[in-house]
Amino acid sequence: MPLRVIEIITPREDKEEVIATLEEHRPNEGYVFWASPLEADTSLVFRVILDVQDSENVLDKLENLFSWKEKYRIIVFPAEATIPRLENLDEVPTTETEPAPETEKRKNRLSREELYADVLDTCVLSKSYVMLVILSSIVAVIGLMRGNVAVLIGAMVLAPLLGPNVGLSLATTLGDEKLAAASSKTLITGVLLAILISIGAGFFLNINEFSPELLARTTTDFSDIILAIVSGTAGIISFTLGVPTSLVGVMVALSLLPPLSACGIFLGTGHIEYSLGAGVLFLANVICLNLAGVVTFLLQGVLPLAWWKRDKVKITALRIIAVWSFLLIMLIALLYFKFVN
């Protein structure tokens, strides 16, 4: 498993209190720690090294203890390795007369704070995000018009619409209204930019013949829905395990930008029926991605730290799941009657 280093910056007079706290929890989480003075300062820095699957439990305890005090600062960053290796506490034998101490469930994923920080980077509307959407939209338009799969994969790897969708799912399970608002704003801006660019391309480039890749985005069937749910779930799991964003983009943004660009191109050329078909495919993938995202985050136990907030968030999340499920059922019904008729 990957390793994490947790740094705790504390006043020197609180040294004994922090040591006692870290010693109290060390038998359960199995980490090592040490303290170092900060030069020309009245503070100490404690460094804790542990497996990533234990990091959220430790961070939650530290946050409950220290986060409300301005004089403390907690920082998390990855570590490549440690020598000697950390002990695997699951393999430590216990006697019959001395039962094993109760441990909190280890989470085989990144901590809540790391997930939030990673998502936030892709959910903030900035000049860089706008440029990424413009460039990836141009790449997608060229790939669709030429029918070039390699170029289309380039647009998928850039995946500018992936981050805001993941941000919406994470905001739902954390009950974070600010993250939800930022993700929605960024997503809407990205969608509008992408479709305006593709409409302009369809209108000004005088396209007389449509490539097979472009026409392939005009229809939606049940296999597309299954693919979107499966790839969305796999992508969210990969994200929580810390898989590089580019790989997640290939897995999850598989059908987000291309059908949206196809929708705009057909609008620009005046082919409304084709445009609607591509738009339905884009909406289907957005619905499936968000549904898979919320369910997967919940199953992995990604919830707020405050206990009093968790029940409220679970109820809200279930309502959001019901909304996405209703939209998906309506889409499936639409496809069923389309195929029947």
Side-chain angles (χ1 to χ4, degrees):
M1 289 297 296
L3 299 174
R4 289 294 182 269
V5 175
I6 301 175
E7 278 193 354
I8 312 162
I9 300 174
T10 72
R12 293 195 183 191
E13 60 266 22
D14 293 346
K15 178 181 178 180
E16 297 303 323
E17 178 185 353
V18 176
I19 289 177
T21 300
L22 293 175
E23 286 286 3
E24 178 185 353
H25 298 298
R26 180 159 60 172
N28 291 340
E29 270 73 31
Y31 52 73
V32 294
F33 71 90
W34 62 95
S36 305
L38 293 178
E39 266 187 58
D41 200 344
T42 59
S43 298
L44 287 174
V45 56
F46 284 84
R47 290 184 176 90
V48 182
I49 186 165
L50 70 172
D51 288 330
V52 68
Q53 61 189 3
D54 292 320
S55 61
E56 183 167 304
N57 290 336
V58 175
L59 281 170
D60 287 351
K61 292 171 183 174
L62 293 175
E63 188 173 351
N64 282 326
L65 288 167
F66 304 133
S67 65
W68 58 275
K69 301 179 181 179
E70 293 184 0
K71 55 186 178 181
Y72 289 95
R73 172 67 60 181
I74 299 173
I75 306 166
V76 183
F77 54 89
E80 295 296 330
T82 180
I83 299 174
R85 298 175 182 174
L86 295 177
E87 294 182 3
N88 187 347
L89 298 181
D90 294 336
E91 297 175 359
V92 177
T94 57
T95 63
E96 293 182 2
T97 58
E98 183 183 355
E102 287 190 21
T103 60
E104 293 181 274
K105 185 177 180 181
R106 306 177 84 187
K107 300 175 174 63
N108 189 26
R109 58 170 172 79
L110 300 181
S111 67
R112 181 192 309 104
E113 301 304 324
E114 289 180 88
L115 292 175
Y116 184 89
D118 290 343
V119 166
L120 191 61
D121 290 339
T122 62
C123 292
V124 176
L125 185 59
S126 62
K127 291 181 181 179
S128 299
Y129 178 81
V130 170
M131 288 299 299
L132 185 62
V133 171
I134 292 173
L135 294 174
S136 57
S137 298
I138 293 172
V139 171
V141 167
I142 293 173
L144 288 169
M145 291 174 59
R146 289 185 177 181
N148 191 317
V149 177
V151 176
L152 279 174
I153 290 176
M156 296 173 190
V157 171
L158 292 174
L161 303 181
L162 169 63
N165 278 286
V166 176
L168 279 175
S169 299
L170 185 61
T172 300
T173 59
L174 292 182
D176 193 316
E177 296 179 359
K178 290 184 178 180
L179 180 60
S183 300
S184 300
K185 181 180 178 181
T186 303
L187 178 60
I188 292 171
T189 302
V191 169
L192 291 177
L193 274 174
I195 201 163
L196 285 174
I197 290 171
S198 53
I199 288 174
F203 183 80
F204 290 108
L205 296 182
N206 193 25
I207 304 172
N208 296 319
E209 186 175 347
F210 299 133
S211 70
E213 289 296 328
L214 191 56
L215 292 173
R217 268 74 187 183
T218 61
T219 57
T220 306
D221 56 32
F222 297 112
S223 63
D224 292 314
I225 293 176
I226 295 173
L227 175 63
I229 292 176
V230 171
S231 61
T233 303
I236 296 296
I237 292 174
S238 299
F239 171 74
T240 61
L241 294 178
V243 175
T245 305
S246 58
L247 177 58
V248 180
V250 174
M251 298 172 65
V252 182
L254 180 65
S255 299
L256 280 180
L257 193 59
L260 181 62
S261 296
C263 177
I265 291 173
F266 286 125
L267 274 177
T269 58
H271 291 77
I272 304 301
E273 185 176 352
Y274 284 165
S275 176
L276 289 175
V280 168
L281 179 58
F282 170 73
L283 290 175
N285 284 283
V286 169
I287 292 170
C288 293
L289 173 56
N290 280 275
L291 177 59
V294 176
V295 172
T296 304
F297 278 136
L298 282 179
L299 291 177
Q300 290 196 314
V302 181
L303 291 166
L305 172 60
W307 63 268
W308 54 267
K309 195 176 180 181
R310 292 190 175 189
D311 290 339
K312 180 180 178 181
V313 165
K314 285 181 180 178
I315 294 173
T316 302
L318 289 175
R319 290 174 179 171
I320 297 297
I321 290 174
V323 171
W324 289 121
S325 299
F326 173 76
L327 293 175
L328 182 59
I329 291 171
M330 294 294 291
L331 178 63
I332 292 174
L334 178 66
L335 294 178
Y336 174 79
F337 286 113
K338 177 183 177 182
F339 288 131
V340 168
N341 297 328

Coordinates of all heavy atoms in Angstrom, one line a residue, residues 78 99 108 138 191 203 239-240 260 291 320 328:
P78 N 2.5 12.4 0.3 CA 2.9 11.0 0.0 C 4.4 10.8 0.4 O 5.2 11.7 0.3 CB 2.6 10.8 -1.5 CG 2.7 12.2 -2.0 CD 2.3 13.2 -1.0
P99 N -7.5 -10.5 24.4 CA -8.1 -10.3 23.1 C -7.5 -9.2 22.3 O -6.9 -8.3 22.9 CB -9.6 -10.0 23.4 CG -9.5 -9.5 24.8 CD -8.4 -10.2 25.5
N108 N -9.5 1.2 2.4 CA -8.5 0.9 1.3 C -8.7 2.0 0.2 O -9.0 1.7 -0.9 CB -8.8 -0.5 0.8 CG -7.8 -0.9 -0.2 OD1 -6.6 -0.5 -0.1 ND2 -8.1 -1.8 -1.1
I138 N -11.5 21.5 -29.5 CA -11.0 21.6 -30.9 C -10.4 20.2 -31.3 O -10.6 19.8 -32.4 CB -9.9 22.7 -30.9 CG1 -10.5 24.1 -30.7 CG2 -9.1 22.6 -32.3 CD1 -9.4 25.2 -30.6
V191 N -19.5 22.8 -20.5 CA -20.4 22.3 -21.5 C -20.8 23.4 -22.5 O -20.8 23.1 -23.8 CB -21.7 21.8 -20.8 CG1 -22.8 21.5 -21.8 CG2 -21.4 20.5 -20.0
F203 N -21.0 25.1 -38.4 CA -21.6 26.2 -39.2 C -20.6 26.7 -40.2 O -21.0 27.0 -41.4 CB -22.1 27.3 -38.3 CG -22.8 28.4 -39.0 CD1 -24.1 28.3 -39.4 CD2 -22.1 29.6 -39.3 CE1 -24.7 29.3 -40.0 CE2 -22.7 30.6 -39.9 CZ -24.0 30.5 -40.3
F239 N -10.0 6.6 -8.9 CA -9.7 7.9 -8.3 C -9.5 7.8 -6.8 O -8.6 8.4 -6.3 CB -10.9 8.8 -8.6 CG -10.8 10.2 -7.9 CD1 -9.9 11.1 -8.3 CD2 -11.6 10.5 -6.9 CE1 -9.8 12.4 -7.7 CE2 -11.6 11.7 -6.2 CZ -10.6 12.6 -6.6
T240 N -10.3 7.1 -6.1 CA -10.2 7.0 -4.6 C -8.9 6.2 -4.3 O -8.4 6.3 -3.1 CB -11.4 6.3 -4.0 OG1 -11.5 5.0 -4.5 CG2 -12.6 7.1 -4.3
L260 N -20.9 15.3 -27.0 CA -21.3 16.7 -26.8 C -20.8 17.5 -28.0 O -21.5 18.4 -28.6 CB -20.6 17.3 -25.5 CG -20.9 18.8 -25.2 CD1 -22.4 19.0 -25.0 CD2 -20.2 19.2 -24.0
L291 N -24.6 9.0 -11.0 CA -25.2 8.0 -10.2 C -24.2 7.0 -9.7 O -24.2 6.7 -8.5 CB -26.3 7.2 -11.1 CG -27.0 6.1 -10.4 CD1 -27.7 6.5 -9.2 CD2 -28.0 5.4 -11.4
I320 N -30.7 12.3 -3.9 CA -30.0 12.6 -5.1 C -29.9 11.3 -6.0 O -30.1 11.3 -7.2 CB -28.6 13.1 -4.9 CG1 -28.7 14.5 -4.1 CG2 -27.8 13.3 -6.2 CD1 -29.3 15.6 -4.9
L328 N -32.5 8.1 -15.2 CA -32.0 6.9 -15.9 C -33.2 6.0 -16.4 O -33.2 5.5 -17.5 CB -31.1 6.1 -15.0 CG -30.4 4.9 -15.7 CD1 -29.6 5.3 -16.9 CD2 -29.5 4.2 -14.7

